[in-house]
Amino acid sequence: MASSNAVAFCFFLALLLPASLAQLSENFYDKTCPTLPNIVRAAVKKAIDSDVRAGAKLIRLHFHDCFVNGCDGSVLLVDAPGIISELNSPGNQGIQGLEIVDAIKADVERSCPGVVSCADILAQASKDSVNLQGGPSWRVLHGRRDSKIANKTGADANLASPFETLVQLKAKFAAVGLGTTDLVALSGAHTFGRSRCRFFSHRFSNFNNTGSPDPSLDPNYRQVLEGVCSAGPDTRANFDPTTPDVFDKNYYTNLKVGKGLLQSDQELFSTPGADTIAIVDSFAAREGTFFKEFRHSMMNMGNIKPLTGSSGEIRRNCARVNAAGMGGEGHDVM
C-alpha cells in the first residue's frame, strides 16, 4: 500500500513540473557522452586562459539564445537560404564568442559525434564560465535539441536593451516566464565582461533630452568613462570597475554608489520605489545570497521552452542546420 501511495505521489509531482523540466535531465548524456562536462570545462578554461572575456561572451550567447524561441541554439545560426540570422538583430550587434563555441563543439564532436546539441553546450559552458572565474556552480540539465530555424523578428522584439527602463525590462523577463528576482540575479552576470561606449555614452549629457547627464550616474565615474570613450564609440569599458574579471557581488555594490555601467543596470537600484532595490541590497550585503539566487535563475532561464524528444536536431555545425541526410537524430532518453 505504501509503495502504491509513493508511486501516486511521484506521478502527482510530475504533473506539477513544467514539461521542459520533466524532459531535461542531469543524467541525459551519462551513457552517450559521459565525459561531456570535462570536455566543456577544459575547453572553456583554455578559452579564458587566452581571453579573460571569454566567459562573459559565452554566457551572453546563452542569454540571447534563451530569450528568443527558448534555449534552442538559434542564436548561433548564420544567414543561409531560408534563414535570416538572429545575429543581424540590433540586440546581437557586436556579440562575440562564436569561435569559442565552435572550438568547444569540435572537442565534443571528437569524443561524442552527433550526440550533444549546441544548445546544451551553451548551457554547460555558461556554468563553467561563471564557476572558473570565481562564481557558483549549479546542476546543468541536458536534453535540449537545436532549432532548424532562426527568429530575427523575435530577437528584435525580445532581447533586453541597455537603454530600457525597469518597467520595460520586467516586461521582457515576464514574457519568458522569469520574475523580478530572476531579473536582478541574472543582471549580475554584468559583474564581468565589457560593453562598448555606444551603449552607455548617452548617459553623459542630455540624458532623455534633459540637457543634463544621467543623475543616477556617479559624476566622478562619468568622467572616467568619458575619458575611456574619447577613443571612440566602439571602445570597451569594464562592466565592473573594481574587479572586472571576477564573478562576484561587486556589480551590486557598484549599483549602490551610482556605478552601474548601463542605464539598464542602474535602473535596478535607482528607479524610485522599485521592488528591485531591496533585492540589490540583499545581494550587495551577502555574496552567498547572490550566488544562491543566480544559480536558481540560471536554471530557470536554461529551461525556457527547450526543444526535446524528436523536435529539432543535433547540429553537427552550430552555425548551420544539418544538410539533408546528415542525420542529427541524437539521443532521446524519454
Side-chain angles (χ1 to χ4, degrees), residues 193-201 204 219-241 261:
R194 316 281 190 271
S195 180
R196 289 185 291 168
C197 290
R198 66 172 67 248
F199 296 125
F200 57 85
S201 58
F204 298 164
N220 292 327
Y221 184 43
R222 185 185 74 240
Q223 290 179 3
V224 171
L225 293 175
E226 286 175 329
V228 171
C229 294
S230 64
D234 288 323
T235 306
R236 296 180 187 272
N238 295 323
F239 272 116
D240 178 356
L261 185 63

Side-chain angles (χ1 to χ4, degrees), residues 88-229:
N88 298 320
S89 173
N92 284 324
Q93 292 303 298
I95 200 166
Q96 297 179 310
L98 298 172
E99 75 288 350
I100 304 172
V101 176
D102 289 342
I104 299 171
K105 176 66 169 174
D107 287 349
V108 171
E109 285 291 305
R110 274 191 286 272
S111 295
C112 313
V115 170
V116 180
S117 69
C118 300
D120 274 348
I121 285 174
L122 285 181
Q124 185 71 37
S126 293
K127 186 268 290 184
D128 291 322
S129 297
V130 169
N131 186 234
L132 285 167
Q133 293 190 252
S137 184
W138 59 89
R139 295 185 310 119
V140 179
L141 304 182
H142 298 129
R144 302 167 190 82
R145 290 169 65 85
D146 295 321
S147 171
K148 297 180 181 180
I149 60 170
N151 184 1
K152 179 185 176 295
T153 301
D156 293 345
N158 299 341
L159 294 177
S161 161
F163 311 107
E164 288 181 329
T165 66
L166 181 58
V167 170
Q168 292 170 314
L169 294 169
K170 281 186 172 187
K172 287 189 173 179
F173 274 66
V176 293
L178 299 176
T180 298
T181 300
D182 294 315
L183 165 61
V184 181
L186 293 174
S187 295
H190 284 174
T191 191
F192 64 175
R194 316 281 190 271
S195 180
R196 289 185 291 168
C197 290
R198 66 172 67 248
F199 296 125
F200 57 85
S201 58
H202 68 291
R203 305 179 71 198
F204 298 164
S205 62
N206 197 30
F207 179 68
N208 288 345
N209 297 316
T210 60
S212 302
D214 182 347
S216 69
L217 179 62
D218 176 79
N220 292 327
Y221 184 43
R222 185 185 74 240
Q223 290 179 3
V224 171
L225 293 175
E226 286 175 329
V228 171
C229 294

Side-chain angles (χ1 to χ4, degrees), residues 266-282:
Q266 196 61 48
E267 289 275 341
L268 301 178
F269 188 76
S270 296
T271 301
D275 55 355
T276 53
I277 295 173
I279 304 173
V280 170
D281 283 336
S282 69

Side-chain angles (χ1 to χ4, degrees), residues 288-304:
T289 302
F290 164 46
F291 282 4
K292 177 183 176 182
E293 294 298 338
F294 186 82
R295 283 194 296 263
H296 183 66
S297 293
M298 283 297 294
M299 292 183 69
N300 287 345
M301 185 185 74
N303 291 319
I304 297 173

Side-chain angles (χ1 to χ4, degrees), residues 239-256:
F239 272 116
D240 178 356
T242 53
T243 52
D245 301 320
V246 178
F247 197 96
D248 56 22
K249 71 179 178 67
N250 285 352
Y251 170 81
Y252 301 101
T253 58
N254 292 334
L255 295 184
K256 287 169 66 69

